[in-house]
């Protein structure tokens, strides 16, 4: 009798598990374009949402990322990070993008993004890039990257880039946070 009860219980569990549905939670609205207008009353990710009737394509775009910027004399790099502050439509999408200009020998020193992983694509030049794992072994994963090469820096790990070429270098990086932070 106990064996029959066990088989029935297992059968019910098996049938119940076949009806289980897994899904990613979906947002309650399609978009929440960030605004400084506090009268909207809807606050998401620390930003007030623009009235959807007033949202335009300009809220989702930025012009000028193709323009080189003068690199610093100290490190030989210049970053142009675009977050929700520059592209209000990034709000709630968990994305940001950065252009990095390197002079020959320029270094983006070891740093991390406490709220993001990063993927970098070299557009011009030759960059040596890598990251270091945390405890217990502190392993270095590094590679020389040329135009078209892509490299991933895992979430929160210390990473760096250095232009090892004789000409300027340019890279684009995407981060999976609208506010990745930098340490």
């Amino acid at each position: 009798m106990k064996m029959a009860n066990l088989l029935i219980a297992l059968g019910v569990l098996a049938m119940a598990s076949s009806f289980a549905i897994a899904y990613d939670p979906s947002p309650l609205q399609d978009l929440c374009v960030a605004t400084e207008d506090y009268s909207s009353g809807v606050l998401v990710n620390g930003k007030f949402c623009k009235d959807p009737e007033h949202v335009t394509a300009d809220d989702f775009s930025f012009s000028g990322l193709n323009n080189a910027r003068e690199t610093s004399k100290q490190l030989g790099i210049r970053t142009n990070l675009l977050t929700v502050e520059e592209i209000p439509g990034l709000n709630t999408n968990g994305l940001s993008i950065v252009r990095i200009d390197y002079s020959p020998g320029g270094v983006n020193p070891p740093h991390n993004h406490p709220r993001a992983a990063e993927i970098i694509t070299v557009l011009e030049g030759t960059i040596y890039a890598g990251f270091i794992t945390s405890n217990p072994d502190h392993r270095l994963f590094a590679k020389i990257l040329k135009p078209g090469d892509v490299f991933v820096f895992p979430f929160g790990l210390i990473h760096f880039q250095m232009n090892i070429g004789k000409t300027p270098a340019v890279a684009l990086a995407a981060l999976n946070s609208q506010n990745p932070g930098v340490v």
Side-chain angles (χ1 to χ4, degrees), residues 29 31-56 59 84-92 178:
Q29 58 197 45
L31 48 91
C32 171
V33 173
T35 183
E36 297 299 320
D37 180 8
Y38 305 110
S39 66
S40 74
V42 178
L43 185 69
V44 181
N45 277 7
K47 300 289 183 186
F48 285 93
C49 299
K50 191 176 199 178
D51 180 343
E53 295 295 320
H54 297 113
V55 172
T56 69
D59 292 317
V84 68
E85 301 302 326
E86 293 78 21
I87 306 174
L90 285 174
N91 194 37
T92 71
Q178 74 180 40

Side-chain angles (χ1 to χ4, degrees), residues 40-150:
S40 74
V42 178
L43 185 69
V44 181
N45 277 7
K47 300 289 183 186
F48 285 93
C49 299
K50 191 176 199 178
D51 180 343
E53 295 295 320
H54 297 113
V55 172
T56 69
D58 289 339
D59 292 317
F60 300 92
S61 67
F62 177 88
S63 294
L65 198 59
N66 61 319
N67 297 327
R69 296 178 63 193
E70 185 178 343
T71 59
S72 76
K73 304 237 184 284
Q74 184 180 22
L75 296 174
I77 68 150
R78 174 72 62 196
T79 60
N80 187 7
L81 176 64
L82 302 179
T83 65
V84 68
E85 301 302 326
E86 293 78 21
I87 306 174
L90 285 174
N91 194 37
T92 71
N93 285 301
L95 297 169
S96 54
I97 188 169
V98 62
R99 175 189 168 122
I100 311 164
D101 291 289
Y102 308 81
S103 59
V107 176
N108 194 358
H111 64 282
N112 75 353
H113 304 287
R115 295 179 292 277
E118 179 178 351
I119 185 168
I120 188 170
T121 303
V122 176
L123 302 178
E124 299 173 17
T126 305
I127 295 172
Y128 177 64
F131 65 89
I132 300 165
T133 63
S134 58
N135 288 328
D137 56 356
H138 302 293
R139 289 183 57 198
L140 171 66
F141 292 87
K143 191 166 178 81
I144 294 173
L145 307 172
K146 298 188 185 263
D149 290 346
V150 174

Side-chain angles (χ1 to χ4, degrees), residues 22-29 92:
Y23 66 95
D24 287 332
S26 67
L28 297 176
Q29 58 197 45
T92 71

Side-chain angles (χ1 to χ4, degrees), residues 5-20:
N5 288 339
L6 177 63
L7 289 174
I8 290 172
L10 287 174
V12 169
L13 282 174
M15 287 184 354
S17 67
S18 68
F19 295 113

